Amino acid sequence: MFAVASSGNADSMSPSNNDTNRDSGSVRSTAAKARRTTAKATAPASRTADKTAEKTADLASTAAETTERAAGTTAAVAHAATERVEAGRQAVIAASGQAAAVARTAWTAIAHRKALAAGVGAGLTALGATTYAAGRRAGRRSLGPITRLTGGRI
């Protein structure tokens, strides 16, 4: 069906058998020189790439350690904050209990204000009477034993 034109090569990708003028030794030495030149040219870049890879690995390791430390610190801070919140909650509960006790006492005083007023009045009256009696006693002259026996006649 189709006619294939042949140029003498069995395969166009394989080296030609017709070209026998080439010296295979010079081809090999040229290829070796090219490899050496390429190796010399790429050696600095290869070393730089290796150093960069090492530095990147070190940085990644340092970043992982820093992240781990930060996570630990964050956990400690969160725990401390939780403890502070709990202490604050306890303080609020205690303060509200004290406020409730004061309010209860005030309400009791208001509810029993008449009795409280009467008690305060009675207390002030008793204090005044006691003070008056003590003052009268302090104002009297002291008498000797014979004068006391005779009722002040001698």
Side-chain angles (χ1 to χ4, degrees):
M1 281 209 336
F2 294 103
V4 177
S6 177
S7 64
N9 289 341
D11 186 25
S12 63
M13 297 300 280
S14 65
S16 165
N17 288 337
N18 295 338
D19 197 12
T20 57
N21 294 336
R22 281 194 184 169
D23 183 20
S24 63
S26 68
V27 169
R28 285 188 199 130
S29 91
T30 304
K33 285 181 186 178
R35 280 194 296 272
R36 281 192 302 267
T37 305
T38 303
K40 285 181 185 177
T42 58
S46 176
R47 283 191 300 266
T48 303
D50 290 344
K51 288 179 184 176
T52 303
E54 287 176 16
K55 287 180 183 177
T56 302
D58 289 344
L59 287 174
S61 173
T62 303
E65 291 171 4
T66 303
T67 303
E68 187 175 322
R69 275 186 267 139
T73 303
T74 303
V77 167
H79 182 68
T82 303
E83 288 178 351
R84 286 189 208 116
V85 166
E86 182 61 25
R89 189 178 72 79
Q90 293 296 332
V92 166
I93 289 171
S96 66
Q98 290 174 350
V102 168
R104 225 177 336 214
T105 303
W107 184 255
T108 303
I110 290 170
H112 298 98
R113 67 184 176 276
K114 290 180 184 176
L116 185 64
V120 168
L124 288 175
T125 303
L127 180 65
T130 306
T131 304
Y132 179 75
R136 294 245 324 138
R137 181 103 173 112
R140 288 178 54 189
R141 278 190 5 219
S142 61
L143 304 174
I146 295 176
T147 308
R148 271 187 294 198
L149 278 176
T150 58
R153 291 189 199 129
I154 300 180

